Amino acid sequence: MEDKKIFIRGNEAVCYGALSAGARCYFGYPITPQSEIPEMMSKAMPEAGGSFVQAESELAAASMLMGAAAAGVRAFTSSSSPGVSLMQECISYMSGSQLPAVIVNMNRGGPGLGDIGSAQGDYYQATRGGGHGDYRTLTLAPSGCQEAHDMMIRAFDLAFKYRNPVLVLGDGVVGTMKEPVRLWTPSQINSHAAASWQVSGAAGREKHVLKSLYLLDGVLAAHNRKLQEKFAAMRAETEAECVETADASLVVVAYGSIGRIAKSAVRLLRSQGLKVGLVRPITLYPFPDKVLQDLAEHGKKFLTIEHNCGQMVDDVRLAIRGYADSDFHGHMPGAVPAMDDFIGPIEEAARRTA
Amino acid sequence: MNATPSLPGLVEGEELIFSPPRSLTPVPTHYCPGCHHGVAHRLVAELLDEMGLQEKTALISSIGCSVFSYNYFEVDALEAPHGRAPAVATGLKRARPDCFVFTYQGDGDLASIGLAEIMHAANRGDKISIVFVNNTVYGMTGGQMAPTTLLGQKTTTTPMGRISEDCGYPMRMAEIISGLDGTVYSARGALNDAKNIRQAKKMIRRAFEAQSTNSGLGFVELLAGCPTNWHMDALSSNKRIGTELIPVFPLGVFKDNGFAESGKGGGK
């Protein structure tokens, strides 16, 4: 793909990023606000020599993803909140069976059917594994279309590097807004030795068996210890954007589209003389707790802003425990916030710190 | 891959005239005495050998007693969530069209929790093969009612016998699957006697040829005994298949689109 900028939606940026990353299978099911992804992949995948299947359900889409991942092929699916709930079965199996796959969630309002607008109510689900058992998925949170594109490329590499599902957690805003996006293709794709484990026919080698069932006493314990070591190793991938935090007395913590809106509010208040900064977690799991802890040790106060009723604020409080606490402002799912909605809460938190 | 195991006691001058299939791993199975999974495994493995498929095969195992089939087939394998084996097979086949992909599923897995997945895989005409073992109960979890449980049959969740008013009727999957346009072969055999076993092998071959000729989905249902959960000895269990199961689940080929045979000894 050429190195150029085009004006596209976040959902389209996801598709371009996946194709540049070498994805050759897509399985999905229609749901708003991400249906542009299956629509675009239905044309682009066959053109790229890959495979597209509109699955009969999100259960089946995630199962197909598992099959393609087991084959060592770069594959992904996408959905929005209610659909991602249905995918949790296979996400747990894929983590347990150590299979690399990418799942995109354009988060919408919940619980239940909720609405079709933007929200961040799936933070817990995304960062705690989401399905049954002790597992985690690396979770990347784009704040716009360029990041959505770039994170797909990174997500595939991380999935194969750690042999684990990777979530790209966007939302309705990221999925449906249009921005100029620079398309680029990585100079090389690292298979991370997928041939050493993939199910592709055992010609000339021992058979490969990919599974998550371990019944003998102690064997599952050993498997879980190995997985936990892997999840701990993922900490090397932690990333956050820090804006004017060095001299700030108040640090706002917000992710995704909300992090971007909060950044505008922080910049405006800075121009008015308020000593406020922003930490925008880019990886939600692993969470950038060290960044926040360091700021807390320097006496900062904190305000967490989310498009939900309070989820990431738990991780912020865990990160800064012993040094500080965090205020919380939750913009209820059901309405998209504007920058003005955050000015008051930030000023109020700043006053409390004064 | 394991070569054919050398048999102990073979001395000079003696000739090996028979050995287990290469596609079976030479280990004891966990299956109960009188269970027919061993027979089904044997037939499948013989066909993988005869059709030259072993080295390109991906087995999708399912949830139930046969989850451990990957310990017994000497092929690459993946363990699918309960009922999802056909969707997993679809994904793997689409990712690697050169692989020979088959699922091995029981009746609870395929006909209950996985009904949507098998119906849609068949309807799409995915080039995969399905080996469906129907013993009318959930075996591994202790003999509960399955969609295929016979009316009046006592199970651990139908202690008074299956009553249609409460639990509906036995589902005839081979007939249901044959009604979908993407299915190119669907048949039902039984594993209770030598004649039926020979016929079943021909049916499995045909279900495999549906894929090896790139024609569509091949489906074979095998009536099998579960002496443990039927509370019978092995011989009585074999007899029950003939006297009680076959009258409800008739044997035969319900669909064969006439796609080409591959290799010798095709099983029309």
Side-chain angles (χ1 to χ4, degrees):
Chain A
M1 218 164 282
E2 290 174 52
D3 191 338
K4 60 175 183 181
K5 269 193 174 182
I6 59 173
F7 191 59
I8 51 172
R9 287 192 175 91
N11 285 330
E12 297 171 277
V14 161
C15 295
Y16 282 108
L19 289 167
S20 293
R24 288 301 173 264
C25 284
Y26 173 89
F27 312 103
Y29 186 89
I31 184 171
T32 309
Q34 62 81 54
S35 293
E36 291 92 349
I37 300 177
E39 286 171 0
M40 185 170 162
M41 295 325 298
S42 69
K43 185 165 183 291
M45 253 324 160
E47 285 174 359
S51 183
F52 165 88
V53 181
Q54 179 169 329
E56 61 269 30
S57 68
E58 288 90 348
L59 283 171
S63 301
M64 292 172 193
L65 180 64
M66 180 175 176
V73 169
R74 290 190 163 205
F76 79 111
T77 187
S78 63
S79 189
S80 182
S81 308
V84 177
S85 290
L86 285 174
M87 293 180 176
Q88 294 304 325
E89 172 184 68
C90 254
I91 297 174
S92 171
Y93 274 77
M94 286 191 286
S95 190
S97 309
Q98 303 200 77
L99 298 180
V102 176
I103 300 106
V104 178
N105 179 4
M106 291 304 180
N107 199 161
R108 65 186 242 183
L113 202 49
D115 67 6
I116 58 171
S118 198
Q120 294 184 326
D122 300 350
Y123 178 91
Y124 280 152
Q125 185 192 64
T127 58
R128 268 60 182 170
H132 62 286
D134 285 299
Y135 76 96
R136 300 297 179 105
T137 53
L138 258 155
T139 303
L140 310 178
S143 67
C145 298
Q146 185 69 57
E147 277 191 346
H149 173 273
D150 298 354
M151 279 181 183
M152 289 302 289
I153 295 172
R154 186 178 176 197
F156 276 103
D157 189 60
L158 292 173
F160 276 77
K161 180 178 178 182
Y162 291 101
R163 280 183 65 184
N164 199 64
V166 173
L167 254 66
V168 175
L169 181 63
D171 59 22
V173 168
V174 171
T176 56
M177 72 174 168
K178 273 189 159 182
E179 290 187 292
V181 174
R182 185 181 71 87
L183 303 181
W184 57 278
T185 301
S187 55
Q188 60 179 39
I189 286 171
N190 187 344
S191 76
H192 295 285
S196 66
W197 52 261
Q198 73 194 16
V199 165
S200 54
R205 59 161 168 78
E206 293 291 307
K207 70 177 181 182
H208 292 161
V209 176
L210 297 170
K211 62 177 192 133
S212 58
L213 178 66
Y214 299 96
L215 289 183
L216 293 178
D217 195 31
V219 179
L220 180 62
H223 179 61
N224 264 313
R225 269 192 290 276
K226 186 174 150 192
L227 291 180
Q228 289 299 317
E229 285 168 13
K230 187 167 78 174
F231 302 144
M234 290 175 187
R235 292 195 59 78
E237 312 298 337
T238 307
E239 190 178 340
E241 178 189 15
C242 294
V243 180
E244 310 212 47
T245 50
D247 69 336
S249 56
L250 174 71
V251 172
V252 175
V253 188
Y255 77 93
S257 63
I258 299 302
R260 190 155 158 195
I261 296 167
K263 185 156 69 177
S264 299
V266 162
R267 289 218 162 110
L268 178 72
L269 291 169
R270 266 277 169 183
S271 72
Q272 296 170 359
L274 196 70
K275 290 205 164 181
V276 58
L278 173 81
V279 172
R280 180 173 69 88
I282 290 171
T283 57
L284 301 183
Y285 185 87
F287 192 69
D289 44 9
K290 189 72 173 58
V291 172
L292 293 168
Q293 189 185 27
D294 286 349
L295 292 168
E297 281 178 12
H298 287 85
K300 317 283 187 193
K301 302 290 183 179
F302 294 85
L303 168 66
T304 304
I305 301 179
E306 298 177 72
H307 199 178
N308 58 36
C309 306
Q311 298 189 22
M312 182 179 71
V313 65
D314 290 356
D315 283 338
V316 175
R317 285 171 175 155
L318 279 170
I320 61 179
R321 70 191 183 279
Y323 301 100
D325 196 1
S326 175
D327 286 344
F328 173 71
H329 174 70
H331 192 89
M332 283 303 110
V336 177
M339 182 189 73
D340 290 351
D341 294 311
F342 297 163
I343 298 290
I346 294 172
E347 286 177 331
E348 193 182 325
R351 270 198 299 277
R352 271 207 296 278
T353 64
Chain B
M1 310 294 298
N2 284 5
T4 301
S6 60
L7 298 182
L10 200 66
V11 297
E12 196 169 333
E14 287 180 335
E15 186 189 355
L16 180 67
I17 58 168
F18 186 77
S19 65
R22 289 187 312 279
S23 297
L24 270 189
T25 306
V27 294
T29 74
H30 72 293
Y31 299 121
C32 303
C35 167
H36 286 145
H37 272 308
V39 178
H41 282 25
R42 172 75 189 227
L43 297 181
V44 167
E46 285 178 0
L47 286 164
L48 294 177
D49 283 10
E50 291 168 20
M51 297 172 74
L53 297 170
Q54 182 189 16
E55 294 198 328
K56 58 189 283 194
T57 292
L59 157 69
I60 312 297
S61 87
S62 63
I63 307 302
C65 292
S66 64
V67 64
F68 292 120
S69 56
Y70 47 66
N71 290 336
Y72 311 135
F73 286 111
E74 194 62 15
V75 298
D76 271 10
L78 171 63
E79 178 187 87
H82 198 19
R84 316 284 174 242
V88 172
T90 293
L92 205 148
K93 184 73 179 182
R94 299 291 180 120
R96 293 202 180 270
D98 292 339
C99 280
F100 178 82
V101 184
F102 79 98
T103 74
Y104 188 107
Q105 302 174 258
D107 41 85
D109 190 88
L110 181 137
S112 187
I113 195 168
L115 189 60
E117 284 74 17
I118 184 59
M119 293 287 284
H120 284 276
N123 195 51
R124 282 188 301 266
D126 270 306
K127 278 73 174 177
I128 58 175
S129 304
I130 312 289
V131 178
F132 168 47
V133 178
N134 175 7
N135 63 11
T136 75
V137 285
Y138 284 76
M140 184 173 251
T141 48
Q144 294 85 8
M145 181 188 71
T148 49
T149 297
L150 301 185
L151 290 180
Q153 182 178 340
K154 287 184 179 175
T155 71
T156 51
T157 51
T158 53
M160 309 300 286
R162 183 176 186 174
I163 301 165
S164 60
E165 287 79 0
D166 288 338
C167 324
Y169 300 87
M171 291 178 77
R172 296 184 183 88
M173 291 310 301
E175 289 90 328
I176 291 170
I177 296 303
S178 73
L180 296 164
D181 288 351
T183 304
V184 295
Y185 183 81
S186 183
R188 181 184 296 114
L191 304 175
N192 59 325
D193 62 33
K195 174 172 163 287
N196 283 340
I197 289 170
R198 289 169 68 85
Q199 185 194 37
K201 184 175 175 183
K202 290 178 180 174
M203 291 170 166
I204 302 170
R205 174 186 291 275
R206 204 68 187 128
F208 283 5
E209 284 173 349
Q211 180 178 179
S212 62
T213 58
N214 210 33
S215 302
L217 185 129
F219 184 94
V220 60
E221 174 174 345
L222 303 171
L223 300 181
C226 181
T228 299
N229 287 305
W230 292 359
H231 306 290
M232 292 176 175
D233 61 41
L235 285 179
S236 306
S237 150
N238 281 357
K239 282 194 189 114
R240 178 177 183 249
I241 293 175
T243 57
E244 297 183 34
L245 268 63
I246 291 176
V248 176
F249 299 112
L251 306 188
V253 178
F254 301 101
K255 188 174 204 177
D256 188 330
N257 277 9
F259 48 87
E261 297 174 9
S262 68
K264 57 182 177 180
K268 274 206 196 170

